[in-house]
Amino acid sequence: MTKFQYADLHCHPNLKTFGQSFSGKDDPKSDLWYTKKPDAFTRKIYEKTGVTKFSQTDFTTMSKAKGKIAFVSLYPFEKGFFHNPYVWPVLAAQLANWGIEIGYKRIRHIQGHKDYFEDLKKEYQFFIQGKKEQVVEGVLQKWKAVKSNQELGDVMKADNGIAVIFSIEGAHVFNTGLEDYGRPIDQDEVFSNIQ
């Protein structure tokens, strides 16, 4: 009998953790394995509003659920989510952080930067440099960014591994969509970033 396993075709174990890494301190919430079971209040907020104040795809949760393949989407948030002409930027950052908990300093960084591609590279580096293993329910679990069918097969055969395949979300990551923030589209730069 084959054990149940699954692949998550689009997940973000990095959104909240990468965001928390901007705090400038060694925050346990900036660990890809960090998990916190939502309390009754947090679950109610989610049920009523759809606002997710907890990670749904951290590696601890994936390990417990027998996840074997994670298509991890790297996603530099679009600046427009955190800019509102009617709300002071600091207040907008505080409200957004309360809602999605990616970190106040991360939101302030998003509000101020003018380079999605650099943000994408920082998120990728954060992930690659993250902790590769963790004991979960008494078993050493691991994740690996796979680069071939052979590596994928090796992880699939192991009882304690998650294969990570990276993707990106949104063509803005190549530095489009910044015209309203003072950076016109440069076609050569976009093609260079794609390359």
Side-chain angles (χ1 to χ4, degrees), residues 1 7 22 45 51 64 69 73 81 93 135 137-138 142-143 165:
M1 179 197 247
F22 280 70
I45 289 173
V51 172
K64 288 178 181 180
I69 305 173
S73 180
F81 285 122
V135 175
E137 296 181 333
K142 303 175 183 181
W143 72 267
I165 300 170

Side-chain angles (χ1 to χ4, degrees), residues 46-60:
Y46 175 69
E47 289 168 11
K48 299 291 183 193
T49 67
V51 172
T52 309
K53 294 175 66 63
F54 55 92
S55 174
Q56 298 170 312
T57 57
D58 57 84
F59 283 134
T60 298

Side-chain angles (χ1 to χ4, degrees), residues 19-38:
Q20 296 301 327
S21 74
F22 280 70
S23 69
K25 57 185 179 185
D26 191 20
D27 189 332
K29 292 180 183 178
S30 66
D31 182 344
L32 295 165
W33 296 89
Y34 177 79
T35 190
K36 180 182 175 192
K37 188 175 178 181

Side-chain angles (χ1 to χ4, degrees), residues 105-162:
K105 289 188 177 179
R106 170 68 176 142
I107 295 167
R108 294 294 287 152
H109 173 79
I110 294 166
Q111 288 173 330
H113 82 70
K114 291 185 179 175
D115 195 327
Y116 287 129
F117 194 67
E118 282 303 312
D119 207 36
L120 172 74
K121 291 191 297 187
K122 286 177 186 172
E123 185 177 352
Y124 175 75
Q125 285 304 315
F126 166 81
F127 206 105
I128 290 298
Q129 293 168 1
K131 189 166 54 170
K132 304 286 189 287
E133 54 188 44
Q134 173 82 20
V135 175
V136 177
E137 296 181 333
V139 177
L140 182 64
Q141 298 288 344
K142 303 175 183 181
W143 72 267
K144 178 179 181 166
V146 296
K147 299 176 183 160
S148 68
N149 286 338
Q150 177 66 46
E151 287 183 351
L152 176 61
D154 292 345
V155 174
M156 294 299 293
K157 290 175 195 166
D159 289 334
N160 63 337
I162 299 170

